[in-house]
Amino acid sequence: MATLYERLEESLQRFITAQPMFFVATAPSDGGRVNLSPKGYRDTFAILDEHTVAYLDLFGSGVETIAHLRDNGRITIMFCSFTRHSKILRLQGVGRVVRPDDPEFAALAPHFGAGHPGVRAMIVVRCERIADSCGFSVPYMDLVDERAVLDTYHGRKSDDDFARRIGGDNATSIDALPALHADHPLPSTLR
């Protein structure tokens, strides 16, 4: 049975910060595909207050989360423990996209680690439902290390490479919903 919480109390905040990864789920308003994405790099997630969280959105193979949030704002973030103490925590709420050229981006930047060369945006989520569940069937797993492959990959990309992504596969979702605007800032503007 799930336990509902009024806020992100300290025990939940400790649980969140102990997890090496999280999952993000969104869906379009009308038909289309549900998107579920794993996210890594611990320093890309932040608890802003007892009802608000945020994460750095890095360029990836798609832009579904941004497109879906622009469409309807619905988002679920899930943390899952693979250690001896089983637990699943879901944060369901309303998310929004904060572009790198928005003044709010600069104000929130100190909450995150620096040095990720492929930052596309920040996703800020106001949690409307906070619930945990047992996770009894989740396997035990040991963390070896964070995988630096995405940062290494982005570090080799030029402004022209990112501009092609913004105007190409990051302009719309796989269901043709609008995502990044043509004037979206390049990651180099953050360095």
Side-chain angles (χ1 to χ4, degrees):
M1 190 72 168
T3 302
L4 295 176
Y5 298 89
E6 296 279 326
R7 58 188 174 78
L8 286 170
E9 55 191 49
E10 282 188 43
S11 64
L12 298 177
Q13 292 184 33
R14 284 192 304 273
F15 175 76
I16 288 169
T17 57
Q19 304 316 309
M21 66 178 299
F22 58 99
F23 301 86
V24 175
T26 57
S29 294
D30 187 27
R33 292 161 183 86
V34 174
N35 185 60
L36 176 62
S37 297
K39 305 290 184 186
Y41 299 136
R42 286 184 184 182
D43 65 349
T44 62
F45 192 88
I47 299 164
L48 303 180
D49 63 41
E50 292 180 332
H51 296 98
T52 313
V53 297
Y55 70 89
L56 286 180
D57 180 67
L58 306 177
F59 275 89
S61 56
V63 69
E64 305 312 295
T65 301
I66 288 175
H68 294 164
L69 291 180
R70 290 189 193 283
D71 178 46
N72 59 44
R74 294 179 305 164
I75 188 168
T76 298
I77 298 176
M78 184 183 84
F79 293 89
C80 181
S81 174
F82 300 102
T83 64
R84 193 170 68 93
H85 302 287
S86 63
K87 184 185 199 102
I88 294 171
L89 179 66
R90 288 181 182 87
L91 311 177
Q92 296 165 318
V94 176
R96 59 189 173 79
V97 180
V98 179
R99 287 174 37 139
D101 56 352
D102 184 314
E104 184 182 12
F105 190 98
L108 294 176
H111 291 279
F112 304 99
H116 296 286
V119 173
R120 181 168 51 192
M122 276 180 200
I123 305 299
V124 177
V125 178
R126 181 77 178 163
C127 302
E128 295 179 335
R129 184 175 189 273
I130 302 165
D132 70 4
S133 56
C134 66
F136 289 167
S137 67
V138 174
Y140 296 112
M141 298 173 72
D142 291 324
L143 176 66
V144 175
D145 202 354
E146 288 191 329
R147 192 183 305 253
V149 176
L150 187 60
D151 279 348
T152 301
Y153 174 80
H154 286 149
R156 293 191 307 255
K157 297 299 174 187
S158 68
D159 280 353
D160 287 343
D161 293 328
F162 284 111
R164 281 192 291 277
R165 297 290 307 275
I166 291 167
D169 64 349
N170 275 211
T172 61
S173 73
I174 56 178
D175 294 315
L177 292 172
L180 297 187
H181 300 134
D183 68 344
H184 193 86
L186 299 170
S188 63
T189 63
L190 303 175
R191 293 183 205 151

